[in-house]
Structures are given as C-alpha cells and as structure tokens.
Amino acid sequence: MKLTKPRLALICGILCISIFPILVKLRLTPGLISAFYRMFFAVLLLLPYVIFSGNFKLPSLKFTLLAMLCGVLFSSDVAVWNIAIQESSATQASLLTNLSPVWVGVGSFLFLKSKPATNFWIGTVVSLFGMVTLVGFEFFIDLNFDQAFLFAVLSGILYSIYLLVSKNVLSGVDVLSFMTISLTASSIYLGILCYSLHEPFTGFSNAGWFVLVLQAVICQLCAWLSISYATQHMRATRVSLSLLSQAVITSILAWLFLEEKITLQMVFGGIVLLFGIRITFYDKTISLKRLLSK
C-alpha cells in the first residue's frame, strides 16, 4: 500500500483525534461547552492566517450554505458525543459512534454516484468484529439503552452525514476555505446553544483552559485539516472506516496515561480491526464466490 499524500494526511488526522477521548475523560469542563471552545478557539487561530495569507476564497452560495451545514452537523456530533462519554462510559460512546462507517456505506449507496465496493463491505464486517472484540463481548450484556446510548448512536449518524456532505462540498471548495466557513458556523451555533442552556463560559481551572486549547489546536485544526484533505482525495467510505483505528490508538494512550488495562483480547481485536481497514485499501476487488470455490 503506497503512502500517498492523502493517506499520510489521514494517518496524521487519526493520530491527532485519538487523544480527544483521553482529554474528555478528564472531565475538566462540561461536555457541551467543551465542544464550543474546541470550535471557537480553532476558528480564532485559523481566521488570521487565511485572511492575511489570502488563502480564503468565498465559494458559491450553494457551497457556502453546504459548508455551514457541515459545521452544524460536525459540532452537533462532537457535542452529543461529549455528553454520551460523560453520562456513560467512553467505551460505550466510542463503540456506538464508530458505527458511522455502516451509515456512510448506506448513505453512499443511496445518494452518491460512487457506490461502496465489495472490499468496503467485507472490511466493514471484519473491522466491526474487531471493534466488538476490542471492547469485549460481555459489554453488550450490560448495554443500557438510555439517553447516553441514544446520544452515542446519534453521534455516529451525524458524523456519517457530515462525511457525505463534506465530500460533496470539498469537490468544489478548497480545504482552508471549507474549514473556515464550517468552523465559524460551528462556533456561532454552539455559542447560541450553550447560552440558551445556561452553560458556564468561564470559571475553569488552568488545566481546564489548557485542555480546551489543546482540543482546538490538535483535535480540531491539525486533525480535521488533515482529514478534510484526505476526504477530498479519497472515498468517504474508506476515510470513515479508517477512522475506526483511532480506537486502537486511544486504548494505547489510555493504558499509558490513564493506567487502563490492555488485555490479549483487546490486542487481538485491534489487530482484526486494522486488518479490516487494510482490506478496504486492497486494490483488486475481493470475490467471495472465488474465495468460496477454492
């Protein structure tokens, strides 16, 4: 598998977003306000650069509105995912959110010209099995179908819609202009929502403010500039499935910094998950009929 620029960007983006669940687990700020500052600080850092460097190009009204819609979709995804983590467990929230490749595949099949290949569906099944193994089969016995469960599922659906819409927008808009418009829309939308729900905008510890800035720089700007570039040049289905690998990296980071245990079952699940992702990057179409006939 050749490491082209889009693939390198995707790897960089996955590494950057993998630290996000660790930061959320610290619970230094409320989930909703954390999502707001992640977007707000990111756009504050990005705006001066794109304005003074002349890299911002206002697209047509259609693409501008779609980029704004992407901002609302993505910020809604981050907000409900934050709440899901803080009201249940990061494991449950991460697993249910990571069902997004399924929704992306279905959405691509229904609405996009480029239909998911056979390799995608095979890779999805293998990766989801790896994800379940990573989390633990016993997890499903204790699964609570409460508000946190619904929020986590909703997060995955919102994220998949975001990927499909952004794929369309990025076909006609450069990455920096897209990020500027979507982040501005995200900040305004979440700012109004937080104010309406009387969320605290101040009063956090120094560590809390540091984590908010870290989320904006690493988990938002670095991660999503890279992932948006990858989405622009790769299939949305392939990008969404590749993002499942963040669960493996997050588990390693949780072991290093939060002293969470890593079992042989988790290692096996991670290997299976990554193998499923590798299947989607296999250039030749896998024929089930040919495999079964051997």
Side-chain angles (χ1 to χ4, degrees):
M1 184 174 69
K2 294 181 180 179
L3 286 177
T4 58
K5 285 184 180 180
R7 289 176 179 177
L8 284 171
L10 182 58
I11 292 170
C12 177
I14 290 169
L15 290 172
C16 289
I17 60 174
S18 295
I19 70 168
F20 182 64
I22 307 300
L23 298 177
V24 174
K25 281 184 182 181
L26 297 176
R27 298 179 68 95
L28 296 174
T29 57
L32 194 57
I33 204 70
S34 172
F36 163 72
Y37 277 116
R38 172 176 165 173
M39 307 300 165
F40 181 67
F41 286 153
V43 78
L44 282 184
L45 292 169
L46 184 61
L47 266 178
Y49 172 76
V50 295
I51 290 173
F52 291 111
S53 65
N55 284 314
F56 179 75
K57 299 174 183 177
L58 186 65
S60 65
L61 180 61
K62 173 190 171 183
F63 281 124
T64 300
L65 292 175
L66 284 174
M68 291 171 66
L69 175 62
C70 285
V72 173
L73 287 169
F74 183 74
S75 56
S76 298
D77 161 41
V78 173
V80 297
W81 192 64
N82 283 6
I83 295 170
I85 288 177
Q86 294 188 347
E87 291 192 3
S88 61
S89 67
T91 299
Q92 175 174 310
S94 296
L95 174 66
L96 296 172
T97 297
N98 282 324
L99 290 175
S100 58
V102 178
W103 310 124
V104 172
V106 172
S108 298
F109 180 78
L110 294 175
F111 302 112
L112 296 184
K113 292 180 180 179
S114 57
K115 307 300 181 185
T118 304
N119 293 14
F120 167 77
W121 295 114
I122 296 172
T124 297
V125 172
V126 173
S127 293
L128 289 178
F129 176 76
M131 174 67 71
V132 172
T133 306
L134 176 70
V135 171
F137 295 96
E138 67 279 359
F139 162 77
F140 291 91
I141 299 174
D142 302 321
L143 195 62
N144 295 316
F145 297 90
D146 52 10
Q147 177 179 294
F149 175 91
L150 295 175
F151 271 22
V153 173
L154 177 61
S155 172
I157 294 172
L158 287 168
Y159 178 60
S160 60
I161 297 172
Y162 164 79
L163 275 180
L164 292 170
V165 177
S166 65
K167 176 66 177 176
N168 181 29
V169 178
L170 287 166
S171 65
V173 182
D174 66 277
V175 172
L176 284 175
S177 299
F178 167 75
M179 286 290 293
T180 304
I181 295 169
S182 63
L183 280 174
T184 301
S186 294
S187 301
I188 294 171
Y189 165 69
L190 284 177
I192 293 172
L193 188 61
C194 288
Y195 181 79
S196 302
L197 296 175
H198 306 290
E199 289 285 318
F201 284 86
T202 57
F204 311 127
S205 64
N206 290 335
W209 285 113
F210 175 73
V211 165
L212 290 175
V213 173
L214 203 63
Q215 287 182 27
V217 176
I218 304 298
C219 306
Q220 189 59 43
L221 277 183
C222 295
W224 288 98
L225 282 171
S226 300
I227 292 171
S228 294
Y229 176 79
T231 303
Q232 190 176 43
H233 295 89
M234 297 170 65
R235 299 188 199 122
T237 49
R238 183 173 284 179
V239 172
S240 67
L241 193 59
S242 298
L243 291 174
L244 283 180
S245 60
Q246 75 178 86
V248 178
I249 301 169
T250 298
S251 297
I252 295 171
L253 292 174
W255 171 63
L256 289 172
F257 299 108
L258 300 179
E259 298 183 353
E260 293 190 3
K261 293 181 179 179
I262 293 183
T263 63
L264 286 175
Q265 177 180 313
M266 293 173 69
V267 173
F268 175 73
I271 293 170
V272 173
L273 189 155
L274 294 173
F275 177 67
I277 294 171
R278 177 64 184 91
I279 290 173
T280 67
F281 283 86
Y282 188 61
D283 293 327
K284 295 181 180 179
T285 302
I286 298 172
S287 174
L288 292 176
K289 189 179 294 184
R290 192 187 309 152
L291 288 173
L292 293 172
S293 65
K294 289 184 178 180

